[in-house]
Structure formats: structure tokens, C-alpha cells
Amino acid sequence: MNFTEPMFASPIFADKTLLITGGGSGLGKAMATYFSQLGANVIISSRREDLLKEVAAEITSITGNKVLAVAADVRDHDAITDVIDQSLKAFGKIDGLINNAAGNFVSPTERLSHRAFESVIGIVLQGTINYTLALGKYWIEHKIPGNVLSIITTYAWTGTGYTVPSACAKAGVLALTRSLAVEWGRKYKIRLNAIAPGPFPTKGAWDRLFPESVRAMFDPSERIPMQRVGDKQELSNLAAYLMSDYANYINGEVVTIDGGEWLENGGQFNDFRHISDDMWDQLESMRKTKS
Ligand code: HXC
Ligand code: NAP
């Protein structure tokens, strides 16, 4: 057994319908594929209709289960109402939402226009609010104990330079998650959780955040105690667990999956890893000589 293998053997989502934003690429596609393998009716939605249709057919050919593809921009409230209507028509109900769609780019902040901020905050924060509110109202009206999982990042709480719009937006999504986990958890048994991934190589993220010229300067795995980047299946395994009824007592939580990256770079003395054993021997003998 290893972390690149699917974790669940039984179809834990056999009676569930799960909607994944940004489900046509990267981590969203990996989760959609795994949830479908686990028996879920899956809806994938993002802006590129051709890609969505192609990916839905590809997933169905692997799993044998129906995948609905509906194009919509998460910033457009009418469009997401249509996604929800089409999903209900196809599957009768929706049990869970994965807020995975995102927009991001790297830039010194002083070079950004206000529209650049609006774009990323609109996709990541307002888009997450749009879907969470629309499905929350539907769950409350129909007395369904819904389940929301949002994909954030570790810089939602550390902050970071050079992707400041994304940091602001992801911090907002974390606040939304913790706030509604309490408000809607108590009143309606609706659970909300988040996953904070470290680096997972996807085309969408790598093209925008680690372009070829930058890649030569920074190796993301160097910053990580486990000295590797993430594998899509291990994130999908965690997402499946959090979306399943096995995680019924987990609410308002953010689970970090980053090989220890953010703690290593936050801990004051962690750079002492560069001190060799010989130098530690010298330091120890100096200490013993003094005492
Ligand atoms: C500076 C930029 C820019 C860039 C766009 N803008 N790209 N500014 N640097 N690289 C500015 C534009 O000039 C414009 O402002 C404003 O942003 C809106 O641009 P549009 O092209 O109209 O935006 P839109 O069509 O809404 O596209 C959204 C996008 C794009 C975010 C800009 O990159 C996108 O579609 N991304 C989707 C997928 C994605 O980003 N995936 C990565 C997620 S990875 P002006 O003033 O000129 O009008 C991730 C990982 C985090 O989040 C952690 C990793 C470890
Ligand atoms: P990705 O493939 O670029 O995924 C982003 C998805 O969001 C795309 O499918 C994109 O599809 C969709 N999207 C963007 N804008 C949209 C909009 N306005 N409306 C609807 N859909 C939209 O990148 P990824 O790496 O898989 O990222 C997935 C999630 O993981 C994101 O939330 C990201 O912040 C998070 N994350 C990733 C990493 C990593 O290392 N990869 C690390 C931490 C967090 P369209 O362009 O077709 O709309």
C-alpha cells in the first residue's frame, strides 16, 4: 500500500451526488474521478465547456457512472443557479459541494490593477460564497444535511507576498468555513471543512505560479520536510474521507496536506538543518569545555 493508491475499497458514495467546481482539470478532475469510482453521481462545472464534456466522458468511461458537465462562471449567480437546476433535473438531489475552482497568478502587488484583485477575489471568495449560499438554502429548504469542502492553501493563515489577492481570498474562504460550520452545523447539521494543500503539480498551478524560468530558481520540494510534492490521489483520498459520513464529527476543520511545508518555513530554528554533524560535535565540545 502507498499514498498513490485509492484508499477506499467500497463504493462509499453510492447514494450521493457531489458537485465539484473546477472539476475539469488538475485536483478537481482527480477528485471527480475518484468520487465517481466510489459510486457518486458527479457534476463538474467550470468555464471551458468543451474540456468539461471531454473530461465527463473520460471519467464515465473509467467508472461507468454518469458525470454531468455544465459550463458556468462561479462569479455569475444566474449561471450557477442553472448548474444547480440542471443537476437536480439529472440526479434528483445534491448532497455535497466541493469549492475547488480558483484563479491565481504571481506578481509584485504594486504592479496589480484593482481589476486583477477583483478577478481572483471574485473567483475564489465570491465564487465560493455563491455556491455555498445557493446550495445551503436548497439544503435548508429540503432538510438535507449537506456537506461542503473548500480547497484553500496554507497561506490562508500565514499570508504570503506575490500572490496577495489569492491569500486574501483563501483567508476569506477559511473564515466562511469556520463561521458557517457553527451556524449551519447547529441549526441544520450542514458540515463545512477545508483542505489546505501544499504544492501539487498541476498544469493550471504550475504554468501560472512556477513558470519554466522560475522553476529553475526554486524547487518547491526543497522547502518540504518530506522532500517531495503531493500526489493527486493522496489529496483525493483525504477529500473522499472528509466528504463521507465517516467524517460526520469533523466540522469547521482545515486539514493541511503539505508534507510539513508551512511549519518548516514558520519555525524559527528550522534552518539549523544546514548545520552538519561535525559542527554539532564542535558546538557540543565547546559547551562541555566551558562548563
Ligand atoms: C498581473 C494579471 C495577470 C497576471 C491577469 N491579470 N493575469 N495581472 N499578472 N499574470 C489582470 C488582467 O490584466 C486584468 O486586469 C485582470 O487581471 C483580469 O484579467 P482577465 O484575464 O480578464 O481575468 P479572467 O478572465 O477573470 O481570468 C482569471 C485569471 C486567469 C485568474 C486571470 O489566470 C485564470 O483564468 N485562472 C484560472 C485557473 C488558475 O488560476 N489556476 C491556478 C490555481 S492554483 P486589467 O486591469 O488589465 O483589466 C492555486 C494554487 C495556490 O491557487 C498554491 C500553490 C502552492
Ligand atoms: P487548476 O487546474 O487551474 O484548477 C482551477 C480550476 O478552476 C480550473 O478547472 C478552472 O477551469 C476553474 N475556474 C477558474 N476560474 C473559474 C471561474 N471563474 N468559474 C468557474 N471555474 C473556474 O489548478 P489546481 O492546481 O487543480 O487547483 C485546484 C484548487 O487547488 C484551487 O482551489 C487551488 O487554489 C488549490 N490549490 C492548489 C495547489 C497546487 O499546488 N496545485 C496548492 C494549494 C491549493 P476553467 O478555466 O475552465 O474555468
Side-chain angles (χ1 to χ4, degrees):
M1 177 210 303
N2 75 48
F3 58 83
T4 62
E5 291 172 11
M7 188 167 86
F8 289 101
S10 59
I12 56 170
F13 295 134
D15 54 347
K16 302 286 187 203
T17 299
L18 305 174
L19 193 162
I20 306 174
T21 67
S25 66
L27 300 180
K29 179 181 173 185
M31 288 187 278
T33 306
Y34 190 40
F35 296 172
S36 178
Q37 263 165 3
L38 293 173
N41 297 317
V42 170
I43 305 115
I44 53 175
S45 184
S46 63
R47 295 165 300 179
R48 286 169 290 174
E49 187 161 27
D50 290 351
L51 175 73
L52 287 175
K53 292 224 156 89
E54 201 179 288
V55 169
E58 183 189 327
I59 297 175
T60 298
S61 74
I62 297 168
T63 69
N65 291 321
K66 187 170 176 189
V67 178
L68 179 69
V70 193
D73 190 315
V74 291
R75 293 167 287 191
D76 179 343
H77 185 264
D78 291 342
I80 70 160
T81 303
D82 180 53
V83 175
I84 293 171
D85 288 348
Q86 287 200 43
S87 305
L88 292 175
K89 205 183 259 178
F91 299 122
K93 68 175 169 106
I94 301 170
D95 302 282
L97 164 68
I98 296 87
N99 289 308
N100 167 78
N104 204 354
F105 42 71
V106 280
S107 172
T109 308
E110 65 276 15
R111 292 183 181 221
L112 296 178
S113 68
H114 69 277
R115 280 182 295 272
F117 263 87
E118 271 167 19
S119 169
V120 172
I121 288 173
I123 298 168
V124 176
L125 180 54
Q126 190 62 50
T128 297
I129 291 169
N130 287 343
Y131 265 105
T132 305
L133 193 59
L135 278 175
K137 287 178 179 182
Y138 155 76
W139 289 327
I140 292 164
E141 186 188 341
H142 293 88
K143 298 192 171 24
I144 295 172
N147 188 357
V148 180
L149 178 66
S150 295
I151 310 301
I152 59 164
T153 63
T154 55
Y155 58 64
W157 57 89
T158 63
T160 185
Y162 304 97
T163 57
V164 171
S166 173
C168 297
K170 296 285 191 184
V173 174
L174 180 55
L176 179 81
T177 301
R178 288 176 167 155
S179 306
L180 285 180
V182 174
E183 186 180 334
W184 286 357
R186 178 168 286 277
K187 287 206 283 196
Y188 309 114
K189 301 286 178 285
I190 294 171
R191 293 194 295 124
L192 294 97
N193 290 297
I195 291 178
F200 281 71
T202 63
K203 187 170 166 28
W206 255 229
D207 282 0
R208 290 179 178 87
L209 306 177
F210 301 110
E212 205 64 50
S213 51
V214 173
R215 235 170 274 174
M217 291 168 69
F218 306 106
D219 175 1
S221 57
E222 274 300 305
R223 297 166 36 84
I224 301 172
M226 300 305 285
Q227 292 194 35
R228 67 171 177 86
V229 289
D231 180 87
K232 292 189 197 85
Q233 185 61 48
E234 62 190 328
L235 183 133
S236 302
N237 288 340
L238 173 60
Y241 169 66
L242 289 172
M243 289 304 292
S244 78
D245 291 339
Y246 291 117
N248 187 266
Y249 204 41
I250 300 181
N251 185 30
E253 192 52 79
V254 51
V255 182
T256 300
I257 178 164
D258 74 342
E261 181 193 37
W262 86 269
L263 284 170
E264 165 144 323
N265 296 287
Q268 179 92 60
F269 290 102
N270 287 335
D271 280 345
F272 276 38
R273 68 180 184 276
H274 297 300
I275 296 177
S276 66
D277 282 350
D278 282 351
M279 197 167 170
W280 280 118
D281 289 344
Q282 282 173 33
L283 288 167
E284 191 177 343
S285 63
M286 279 162 63
R287 175 173 60 80
K288 284 181 177 159
T289 318
K290 271 190 201 156
S291 58

